[in-house]
């Protein structure tokens, strides 16, 4: 039986913090303090170290059924499109097609594992196991892969 694994994007696969810091409008009103609204931010994020290889290992493992599970800012509709384009840029389309779920209620998804760096948008209420990416226990992708035995 396959285990369902949900993987967050920002802070887990895509380097949101770096993208926010380096965005040319980061310190301009109305974007200062509202990085979610920065134009084009989500389109050009760099991958987090080891993430692309790590996700591919999970995608290639027959005992895992893998989905991306991310929250896109409600007030920044272009972000929803850019997240879809971003995963297509970094992964083979045939492996990830129709495997992107964007929602603000991650606890509603049924599955075994959620790899997520933050507790918000339902992550901490996920009914499977939440692997808190960036925590002491799961500081990086190799720790996650070791734990999942992938
Ligand atoms: Mg995140």
């Amino acid at each position: 039986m396959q285990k369902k694994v949900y993987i967050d994007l920002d802070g887990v696969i895509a380097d949101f913090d770096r993208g926010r810091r380096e965005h040319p409008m980061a310190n301009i009103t109305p974007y200062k303090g509202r990085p979610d609204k920065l134009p084009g931010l989500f389109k050009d994020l760099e991958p987090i170290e080891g993430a692309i290889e790590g996700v591919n290992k999970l995608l290639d493992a027959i005992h895992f059924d893998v989905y991306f599970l991310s929250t896109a800012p409600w007030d920044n509709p272009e972000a929803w499109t850019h997240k879809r384009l971003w995963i297509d840029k970094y992964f083979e389309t045939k492996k990830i097609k129709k495997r992107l779920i964007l929602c603000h209620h991650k606890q509603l998804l049924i599955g075994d594992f959620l790899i997520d760096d933050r507790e918000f948008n339902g992550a901490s209420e996920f009914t499977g196991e939440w692997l808190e990416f960036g925590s002491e226990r799961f500081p990086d992708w190799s720790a996650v892969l070791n734990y999942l035995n992938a």
Side-chain angles (χ1 to χ4, degrees):
M1 179 96 159
Q2 283 189 316
K3 301 266 192 197
K4 275 193 184 21
V5 183
Y6 298 101
I7 310 173
D8 179 34
L9 294 181
D10 301 317
V12 176
I13 305 177
D15 198 341
F16 177 86
D17 277 340
R18 179 178 164 190
R20 173 179 69 166
R21 273 197 316 271
E22 295 179 356
H23 195 287
M25 295 191 220
N27 292 311
I28 296 171
T29 307
Y31 305 113
K32 196 173 180 181
R34 293 301 312 271
D36 274 9
K37 293 190 169 185
L38 282 166
L41 174 68
F42 293 92
K43 181 166 60 76
D44 298 322
L45 295 178
E46 293 294 327
I48 281 177
E49 192 184 337
I52 305 303
E53 298 83 351
V55 172
N56 273 312
K57 275 193 180 149
L58 296 179
L59 285 167
D60 293 340
I62 50 167
H63 50 291
F64 289 123
D65 185 22
V66 178
Y67 298 86
F68 299 102
L69 176 55
S70 178
T71 303
W74 192 257
D75 294 330
N76 183 0
E78 71 164 17
W80 298 64
T81 300
H82 289 158
K83 283 171 182 263
R84 151 75 176 81
L85 295 173
W86 194 90
I87 60 166
D88 224 13
K89 178 176 168 184
Y90 286 103
F91 298 98
E92 276 180 68
T93 302
K94 65 175 183 193
K95 289 191 195 177
I96 52 94
K97 189 173 182 183
K98 301 188 179 179
R99 289 182 175 272
L100 173 63
I101 301 164
L102 297 175
C103 85
H104 289 73
H105 308 280
K106 295 180 179 181
Q107 80 281 8
L108 297 178
L109 278 294
I110 296 167
D112 299 282
F113 301 104
L114 167 63
I115 306 165
D116 202 310
D117 63 318
R118 302 201 310 159
E119 67 195 283
F120 306 113
N121 300 302
S124 62
E125 298 155 59
F126 179 67
T127 52
E129 191 176 348
W130 170 33
L131 278 56
E132 187 180 359
F133 192 84
S135 65
E136 212 169 294
R137 193 163 175 216
F138 299 108
D140 52 30
W141 266 94
S142 68
V144 169
L145 294 173
N146 273 341
Y147 183 75
L148 295 175
N149 205 11

